[in-house]
Amino acid sequence: DVKVTQSSRYLVKRTGEKVFLECVQDMDHENMFWYRQDPGLGLRLIYFSYDVKMKEKGDIPEGYSVSREKKERFSLILESASTNQTSMYLCASTSVQVDTQYFGPGTRLTVL
Amino acid sequence: QKEVEQDPGPLSVPEGAIVSLNCTYSNSAFQYFMWYRQYSRKGPELLMYTYSSGNKEDGRFTAQVDKSSKYISLFIRDSQPSDSATYLCAMRRGGYGGATNKLIFGTGTLLAVQP
């Protein structure tokens, strides 16, 4: 079974803090994705990566950056957290030949 | 206009009912269609996957794709309280590699099956 793990289930940070969210997958997938999920807005793509050190902006990249130094690990960075970044953050991965994405359990981030 | 439209619900049905969940889309390039189920405070999990038009059945679940109408459906027969969750449709265009694996999601429909 594919396993996608995220570093924290719940996180509380203060405005202005730098926040790191980490995602690890164990299936040697090339593609990894970061989404945020908000009520009424569904899943919105922040960034994705289709190879090590490669990244592409999704639909809402502002205020976020990412890092992919190893194939199995994809990090989402909030350089200076703001209250409007309070959300559920979901990581997903897929291989080039597989038509679906496998999701992690999510990190519920609250920025005070 | 959003590329994928989905009624957010909530949809409340009695146990044993047939449930119909739907999405419409505007991009005719979409070739792959999925349904994800998401329980409260969990990540989405793949429920059904179909390619192009047609039907696919898996136990109590049937997925239908009508590309001519740009309309997809998920039917749940003999619904159970354990089916209570948010159901998300997702789709992507054809091809492999790079950005073609990017999925476009509906906003999700919240389903409650009452015992």
Side-chain angles (χ1 to χ4, degrees):
Chain A
D1 271 356
V2 176
K3 194 161 184 186
V4 180
T5 57
Q6 295 184 227
S7 49
S8 305
R9 292 299 308 275
Y10 300 93
L11 210 52
V12 179
K13 295 291 181 181
R14 299 225 172 259
T15 302
E17 279 193 79
K18 191 168 186 175
V19 182
F20 293 88
L21 302 180
E22 201 159 68
C23 175
V24 178
Q25 49 93 4
D26 66 357
M27 282 301 292
D28 202 34
H29 284 171
E30 298 86 1
N31 302 311
M32 297 187 74
F33 305 79
W34 273 107
Y35 297 88
R36 63 177 283 176
Q37 186 176 31
D38 301 286
L41 298 176
L43 273 81
R44 293 181 292 168
L45 182 64
I46 304 171
Y47 267 97
F48 66 102
S49 168
Y50 51 87
D51 202 351
V52 175
K53 296 192 187 293
M54 304 296 288
K55 61 185 179 186
E56 283 203 25
K57 293 180 180 178
D59 301 316
I60 50 162
E62 297 78 20
Y64 303 95
S65 62
V66 290
S67 172
R68 190 151 180 219
E69 296 297 318
K70 292 185 178 181
K71 192 174 185 180
E72 68 271 18
R73 194 178 298 265
F74 191 34
S75 300
L76 180 69
I77 303 150
L78 287 67
E79 295 289 342
S80 178
S82 63
T83 54
N84 62 13
Q85 292 178 311
T86 291
S87 186
M88 169 74 108
Y89 289 88
L90 290 159
C91 174
S93 76
T94 186
S95 74
V96 172
Q97 290 81 24
V98 172
D99 296 319
T100 188
Q101 294 180 15
Y102 295 90
F103 283 85
T107 296
R108 186 163 293 280
L109 172 68
T110 301
V111 182
L112 301 174
Chain B
Q1 183 191 4
K2 291 181 182 176
E3 277 190 290
V4 179
E5 299 275 2
Q6 184 176 9
D7 187 335
L11 181 62
S12 182
V13 301
E15 184 174 353
I18 296 175
V19 176
S20 172
L21 303 167
N22 311 293
C23 287
T24 59
Y25 63 95
S26 57
N27 189 342
S28 56
F30 289 144
Q31 299 274 2
Y32 299 90
F33 304 91
M34 293 133 218
W35 286 95
Y36 283 82
R37 177 176 60 195
Q38 185 176 22
Y39 291 114
S40 182
R41 304 184 195 285
K42 297 281 179 70
E45 56 178 340
L46 180 69
L47 194 59
M48 297 287 284
Y49 157 75
T50 51
Y51 168 68
S52 195
S53 283
N55 293 0
K56 185 173 184 178
E57 189 173 321
D58 184 2
R60 296 185 295 109
F61 299 90
T62 300
Q64 280 186 357
V65 175
D66 182 348
K67 290 189 71 181
S68 62
S69 302
K70 297 192 180 68
Y71 189 87
I72 70 170
S73 301
L74 177 71
F75 297 96
I76 307 174
R77 289 184 299 282
D78 187 25
S79 56
Q80 303 294 310
S82 58
D83 295 327
S84 299
T86 296
Y87 290 80
L88 299 138
C89 64
M91 49 200 78
R92 73 169 182 89
R93 56 191 172 92
Y96 289 98
T100 57
N101 286 105
K102 180 179 165 184
L103 291 180
I104 309 301
F105 285 87
T107 52
T109 299
L110 179 61
L111 171 67
V113 180
Q114 307 297 334

